[in-house]
């Protein structure tokens, strides 16, 4: 019996929509998706030094007629606040897949403030947010969010909850 992972549905939605580049600060919750992208000769991963660089990468791709997405952990959202203004000002699509921390089962109190603030911060910057707490809904939510981003030139974030990615720990 093979197990199906939500990242496979996200990857299929990416391919169906011509999303060829993933800008990312890698996170454990994104590992399966990033491995699918690495194995695909038509996909490209741009590893960032900090998350806000991804906003510029996505704007550049859009200006060049290409599509990309930003994949990051919620702790990196705080780094993007100022750069998110570019997407709104340019009316450039900005599709983000965010693995959440500071929620269900969080062991690290440092992750809680940004994890709890992420939806409010993103909405304050004009980002349309779609939280997902069931693995079976991640793929369809991502597909719908991608369509909204690219058809309407919006900044859109799919926030994959900790119930989906699992609570992390220090090897315990």
């Amino acid at each position: 019996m093979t197990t199906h992972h939500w990242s496979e549905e996200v990857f299929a939605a990416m391919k169906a929509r011509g999303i060829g580049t993933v800008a990312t600060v890698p996170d454990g919750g994104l590992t399966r998706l990033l491995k699918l992208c690495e194995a695909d000769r038509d996909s490209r991963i741009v590893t960032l030094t900090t998350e806000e660089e991804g906003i510029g990468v996505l704007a550049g791709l859009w200006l060049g007629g290409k599509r990309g997405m930003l994949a990051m952990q919620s702790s990196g959202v705080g780094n993007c606040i100022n750069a998110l203004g570019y997407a709104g000002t340019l009316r450039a699509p900005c599709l983000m897949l965010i693995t959440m921390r500071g929620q269900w089962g969080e062991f690290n109190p440092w992750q809680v403030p940004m994890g709890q603030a992420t939806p409010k911060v993103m909405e304050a910057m004009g980002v349309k947010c779609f939280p997902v707490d069931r693995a079976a809904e991640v793929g369809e939510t991502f597909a719908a969010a991608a369509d909204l981003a690219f058809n309407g030139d919006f900044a859109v974030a799919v926030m994959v909850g900790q119930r989906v990615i699992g609570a992390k720990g220090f090897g315990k």
Side-chain angles (χ1 to χ4, degrees), residues 28-136:
L30 297 167
T31 299
R32 287 190 185 189
L33 177 62
L34 296 177
K35 285 185 177 186
L36 290 169
C37 293
E38 287 173 352
D40 181 63
R41 60 196 275 176
D42 296 324
S43 296
R44 183 175 76 161
I45 294 176
V46 177
T47 304
L48 309 167
T49 57
T50 183
E51 292 82 0
E52 69 266 25
E53 294 172 345
I55 308 297
V57 169
L58 298 184
L61 287 164
W62 175 71
L63 289 169
K66 303 287 184 187
R67 291 181 172 187
M69 63 176 271
L70 174 58
M72 64 180 155
Q73 187 180 87
S74 60
S75 58
V77 168
N79 296 333
C80 296
I81 296 168
N82 193 42
L84 282 168
Y86 298 138
T89 301
L90 292 172
R91 289 219 17 111
C94 182
L95 176 62
M96 295 170 275
L97 180 69
I98 302 169
T99 52
M100 297 299 293
R101 294 290 305 268
Q103 297 180 329
W104 177 82
E106 181 60 61
F107 80 100
N108 184 348
W110 181 83
Q111 292 285 353
V112 175
M114 192 68 234
Q116 295 295 308
T118 292
K120 293 174 191 157
V121 167
M122 296 294 262
E123 288 168 356
M125 291 306 297
V127 177
K128 288 149 184 34
C129 298
F130 298 94
V132 186
D133 286 320
R134 294 187 50 209

Side-chain angles (χ1 to χ4, degrees), residues 13-14 19 40 60 99 124 151 166:
M14 289 170 56
I19 299 168
D40 181 63
T99 52
N151 293 329

